[in-house]
Amino acid sequence: MRVFSGVQPTGNIHIGNYLGALRQFVALQDEGECIYCIVDLHAITLPKDPSELRSHILDVAALYMAIGLDPKRSILFVQSDVPGHAELSWILTCCAYTGELSRMTQFKDKSRGNESAPAGLFLYPVLMAADILLYDADVVPVGQDQKQHIELTRDLAVRVNNRFGDDTLVVPDGRFLKEGARVMALDDPTSKMSKSAESEMSRISLLDDDAKIKKAIMRATTDSDGEIRYDIERKPGISNLLSIYGAFSGRSVDDVAAQYQGQGYGSLKKDLVEVTVDALRPIKERFCEIRPSGELVDALRDGAERANAIAARVLARVQGKFGLGV
Ligand code: AQP
């Protein structure tokens, strides 16, 4: 089984990225050949400061390793170091329909109907499809927010295969977690937690210090009925806190909710601070060792070489089917 996934270096990885997707990356190392990318080409769909981008690329790489990804077992690399991503993306762009791309909810959210939204934002899902299909990936561990993009990837693979034969592209499956698959913003539990949201209080980054973690959780938006139960529709704030608690402690949300029956929101929040601080401490400690070490860049270079070898084979196969080149 081959596994592929990626993270955008658009800021510090937050607990939504971690609980929704990255936790699975680590576990999947025992199940198959894993390829994990830092998708910097996706990060420039909206303007980025170059030195900040470079620094975020290395931060994400160090966090990959800090959460337990082993560069010897998994291939860890930076997307722009493998030219095949952009090349396959163009081929797939020629197979994608403008109608299906206009229906992508992430494009609608980020462009908000703005005529001068970059075309890269519109084509982002095709690049994501290319990222996955370039490695003949069978499984793609991602958060719930990527479900629509995975469907498009499958549709494109099937469309290409219908034209050129089933041996052209592998049709991948998304792998979604149940607990923590969609972590919501702490200050607005109706929107998803996001790296690029303006307010720092909306998220907890894996590198946040204990005081910031405490502040964000204790200030998290809840409701006024005082009852601790999981009900996303009526109680999105409390449900989000229960879900984060459950995911970090390996317990079900119902189990956590039962423990806090009859208690105030303050005690749930206080304990959640402790659970979160304890979960993030070892990650932060490993990050501080890995980030300044030269091994980080060596691991990414080695990863890019291994990724390129696989990507070149798949790309040549696809180009051949399309009749490209001599
Ligand atoms: N709130 C979330 N809950 C659960 N999973 C999430 N993911 C993102 N946000 C949540 C999952 O994390 C992985 C990496 O995401 P990404 O960096 O590639 O892109 P994104 O989904 O656009 O993440 P952000 O944090 O919202 O970044 P910005 O603000 O830059 O757009 C993906 O598997 C994603 O599903």
Side-chain angles (χ1 to χ4, degrees):
M1 179 177 87
R2 189 174 279 158
V3 177
F4 177 90
S5 197
V7 172
Q8 292 190 75
T10 40
N12 277 331
I13 294 180
H14 52 71
I15 59 170
N17 302 131
Y18 179 65
L19 296 175
L22 275 89
R23 245 182 338 149
Q24 299 194 75
F25 292 11
V26 180
L28 283 163
Q29 290 186 120
D30 296 327
E31 289 182 44
E33 179 189 8
C34 296
I35 305 177
Y36 297 124
C37 185
I38 296 150
V39 289
D40 55 348
L41 294 173
H42 287 274
I44 60 165
T45 46
L46 290 172
K48 290 284 165 317
D49 175 79
S51 59
E52 262 180 35
L53 177 60
R54 173 56 49 90
S55 166
H56 284 317
I57 289 172
L58 295 174
D59 286 348
V60 173
L63 276 170
Y64 267 177
M65 287 160 69
I67 62 167
L69 296 182
D70 175 353
K72 295 212 163 54
R73 290 172 75 198
S74 296
I75 297 181
L76 309 183
F77 72 104
V78 181
Q79 185 186 28
S80 59
D81 286 337
V82 178
H85 290 258
E87 294 177 54
L88 183 59
S89 179
W90 176 250
I91 295 175
L92 295 175
T93 297
C94 298
C95 303
Y97 307 141
T98 50
E100 65 192 347
L101 297 182
S102 338
R103 286 193 290 276
M104 294 291 127
T105 50
Q106 204 171 73
F107 169 69
K108 288 199 261 186
D109 288 350
K110 290 200 172 176
S111 64
R112 293 192 204 100
N114 180 357
E115 290 265 316
S116 52
L121 209 53
F122 185 65
L123 294 171
Y124 175 113
V126 184
L127 179 59
M128 179 168 158
D131 298 338
I132 298 165
L133 300 175
L134 189 59
Y135 296 97
D136 285 343
D138 304 291
V139 168
V140 189
V142 279
Q144 291 280 356
D145 60 319
Q146 296 296 332
K147 232 175 187 163
Q148 201 184 24
H149 292 162
I150 298 294
E151 272 319 303
L152 177 79
T153 303
R154 289 171 55 84
D155 289 348
L156 286 172
V158 169
R159 194 172 302 156
V160 169
N161 286 353
N162 283 342
R163 220 175 128 197
F164 298 109
D166 284 346
D167 57 346
T168 312
L169 292 169
V170 171
V171 182
D173 285 310
R175 172 104 45 120
F176 310 95
L177 285 168
K178 225 171 129 245
E179 305 284 346
R182 189 166 163 81
V183 177
M184 308 308 282
L186 293 171
D187 60 347
D188 171 12
T190 57
S191 320
K192 79 160 191 153
M193 186 176 285
S194 178
K195 291 187 220 85
S196 49
E198 229 163 78
S199 166
E200 279 291 326
M201 288 300 132
S202 67
R203 62 184 163 262
I204 294 171
S205 296
L206 298 191
L207 299 176
D208 278 346
D209 62 33
D210 298 355
K212 156 71 200 304
I213 296 172
K214 183 173 179 191
K215 200 167 165 188
I217 292 178
M218 296 311 287
R219 281 189 183 185
T221 301
T222 51
D223 54 60
S224 53
D225 79 10
E227 198 189 335
I228 296 186
R229 77 188 148 81
Y230 189 79
D231 180 341
I232 292 203
E233 291 299 316
R234 292 192 196 87
K235 299 177 68 66
I238 286 295
S239 300
N240 193 34
L241 298 182
L242 288 171
S243 162
I244 297 170
Y245 196 131
F248 271 132
S249 59
R251 293 166 58 192
S252 71
V253 284
D254 292 337
D255 185 31
V256 178
Q259 180 189 335
Y260 289 92
Q261 275 307 310
Q263 298 187 44
Y265 293 167
S267 58
L268 170 69
K269 286 181 166 179
K270 205 162 109 317
D271 290 354
L272 178 59
V273 171
E274 207 171 302
V275 166
T276 309
V277 164
D278 286 349
L280 299 190
R281 186 179 303 115
I283 296 176
K284 282 189 279 190
E285 285 170 0
R286 281 195 296 271
F287 175 87
C288 292
E289 287 165 23
I290 296 163
R291 179 63 167 88
S293 82
E295 282 166 38
L296 182 62
V297 175
D298 290 346
L300 293 174
R301 288 204 179 116
D302 173 63
E305 210 171 293
R306 288 152 69 204
N308 250 312
I310 302 171
R313 279 198 301 274
V314 178
L315 186 63
R317 186 177 75 219
V318 177
Q319 286 171 329
K321 296 271 190 176
F322 276 77
L324 294 166
V326 282

